[in-house]
Amino acid sequence: MIELDNMAYSYGGGELLSGVSLQLQPGAFHFLTGPSGSGKTTFLRLCYGDLTATAGAVRLFGNDVRDLSRDDLAIMRRRIGVVHQDCQFLDHLPLYENIALPLTVSEQGGVEEAHLRELIQWVGLAKRARALPPELSGGERQRAALARAIIMSPDVILADEPTGNVDWEMSQRLLTLLIELNRLGKTVLIATHDLALIRAAKSQVQARVLRIANRKLQFAGADL
Ligand SMILES: Nc1ncnc2c1ncn2[C@@H]1O[C@H](COP(=O)(O)OP(=O)(O)OP(=O)(O)O)[C@@H](O)[C@H]1O
């Protein structure tokens, strides 16, 4: 689905990522860890074609990102749902409109009301659907960000610190949602600092743990 082949990336200074290879297979569940500033967000951006590798290749669903036109890249990106670290809502739009936004702006056009309602209910925000983003708690924002990431029914979900600003109970709730999505066949990759979350997940799902260290991507051992 997403394939990185000896990929490197630099923002212009020295290389941030180097010799990175990975195949994200259908239905896989991965965590991505690494110190702050090691390149986790950058890695995710490379995985959905928001950045282009400075060396090596990134293939999305078999297509080398460098060979894709802007329109074709946009089509590939619809198959990847991204939960951004800072959620990135439009503050003047109610929650349900923010969640529907990817559909509204895509060429797929209108939002199917029943699907939207079902999704908002699934993340437990039915009562908050008309609230504005600044009125939401951290946990509500994170659940809304997850709902927005999956409104287009993507095959892959990339989540950047999806439990960053919430307490343990809420992080468990978010993890449960992501595991449910994986059980429905979605490929899931979660960047997180939260090793307790990874340990909790490992008893519920077969998860592989990746770690960025010294510019390289490694598989972490079982010592978490
Ligand atoms: N647009 C940019 N231009 C230049 N440097 C950048 C840019 N974005 C990130 N960086 C730098 O690249 C490095 C990796 O950043 P990145 O956000 O990918 O790390 P991270 O592992 O996700 O960090 P954190 O865990 O703190 O969120 C950092 O040193 C950061 O300052």
Side-chain angles (χ1 to χ4, degrees), residues 149-202:
I150 60 172
I151 187 96
M152 306 273 279
S153 303
D155 300 311
V156 182
I157 296 146
L158 304 176
D160 197 355
E161 297 284 357
T163 61
N165 293 311
V166 299
D167 64 19
W168 177 246
E169 196 184 324
M170 183 55 67
S171 67
Q172 289 298 295
R173 205 164 154 189
L174 282 153
L175 176 64
T176 301
L177 294 173
L178 287 156
I179 290 174
E180 273 181 38
L181 289 167
N182 180 248
R183 292 201 173 124
L184 291 170
K186 313 283 184 194
T187 303
V188 174
L189 191 153
I190 304 171
T192 184
H193 286 111
D194 190 348
L195 299 188
L197 186 79
I198 299 177
R199 283 188 213 108
K202 280 189 141 188

Side-chain angles (χ1 to χ4, degrees), residues 10 15 42 52 86 88 90 105 121 124 135 157 175-176 189-190 199 203 210 224:
S10 155
E15 266 183 356
T42 305
T52 307
D86 53 3
Q88 299 180 352
L90 296 179
V105 300
Q121 200 143 16
E135 298 165 354
I157 296 146
L175 176 64
T176 301
L189 191 153
I190 304 171
R199 283 188 213 108
S203 62
L210 306 164
L224 281 164

Side-chain angles (χ1 to χ4, degrees), residues 9 11-12 16 34-45 51 85 160-161 191 193 212:
Y9 189 75
Y11 280 107
L16 178 64
S36 192
S38 58
K40 299 182 294 299
T41 298
T42 305
F43 178 90
L44 294 184
R45 292 180 68 192
L51 295 172
Q85 194 167 16
D160 197 355
E161 297 284 357
H193 286 111
I212 300 177

Side-chain angles (χ1 to χ4, degrees), residues 25 73 75 82 86 92-93 114 128 131 139 156 162 167 172 184 198:
Q25 303 286 7
L73 179 60
I75 290 168
V82 182
D86 53 3
H92 64 288
L93 292 181
R128 304 296 282 142
V156 182
D167 64 19
Q172 289 298 295
L184 291 170
I198 299 177

